[in-house]
Amino acid sequence: MILGIHPYLVLNGNGQEAVKFYENALDAQVISVQTFGEMPQNPESPIPAEAKDRILNAHLKVGNTDLMFSDTLPGQPYQLGSQVTLAITVNHAEKSKEIFAKLQEGGEVIMPLQETFWSPLYGQVTDKFGVTWQVSTHADSKDSSDSR
């Protein structure tokens, strides 16, 4: 079952500023802010020093709506017009796999579904219409086909 779909803004290093701006402009409540520096370290892919304060994930509550943010890593491509993606949260890994497979038909996988420190199964795909989706499995999910 899909738990929700949220707008997700991808920024180019000014995520901290954007969180403060939207908090004020939209009377938003900041639920959480995580930086790239707070991620578990991976010696095979170290985070550059200049990226440690960039936003990995920020969550604001605007009325009844969740608004999410992330910065790019330095050197990653960033193009105005492609900075809004849709984040979809699913309650079971098998359903995440099903949705991801359907979204990738005629599209392009950006990040294959995989375990991350925040989700048992997460991936990014741009569908055939050019819409980028972030598919995330809820962290408390269990794979049981009877409750999909």
Side-chain angles (χ1 to χ4, degrees):
M1 174 170 86
I2 295 173
L3 300 176
I5 296 177
H6 315 290
Y8 203 105
L9 306 179
V10 179
L11 302 159
N12 196 22
N14 55 352
Q16 297 275 5
E17 177 186 353
V19 166
K20 290 175 185 160
F21 175 81
Y22 290 116
E23 177 184 21
N24 180 52
L26 303 175
D27 292 327
Q29 176 187 5
V30 177
I31 303 298
S32 65
V33 176
Q34 295 174 299
T35 64
F36 281 100
E38 295 173 299
M39 276 184 16
Q41 296 300 307
N42 178 354
E44 295 175 17
S45 182
I47 300 295
E50 65 271 20
K52 292 195 186 267
D53 289 333
R54 286 189 177 204
I55 301 289
L56 170 68
N57 186 65
H59 177 185
L60 276 64
K61 195 72 160 173
V62 183
N64 292 325
T65 302
D66 293 299
L67 180 60
M68 313 297 278
F69 296 86
S70 179
D71 276 316
T72 59
L73 282 171
Q76 283 187 326
Y78 180 81
Q79 180 177 347
L80 287 177
S82 64
Q83 73 273 26
V84 179
T85 65
L86 294 172
I88 184 168
T89 305
V90 184
N91 67 340
H92 292 287
E94 287 306 313
K95 187 66 175 176
S96 292
K97 290 176 188 175
E98 176 188 328
I99 290 168
F100 196 86
K102 289 177 181 178
L103 288 171
Q104 77 180 27
E105 289 176 14
E108 179 183 351
V109 173
I110 298 167
M111 177 182 174
L113 282 173
Q114 58 193 270
E115 184 177 349
T116 63
F117 72 92
W118 69 86
S119 174
L121 204 55
Y122 172 85
Q124 296 178 18
V125 61
T126 300
D127 69 22
K128 65 182 178 182
F129 301 105
V131 177
T132 299
W133 295 86
Q134 297 182 51
V135 178
S136 186
T137 307
H138 191 268
D140 295 335
S141 299
K142 290 192 170 78
D143 263 358
S144 101
S145 57
D146 59 329
S147 51
R148 277 192 283 164

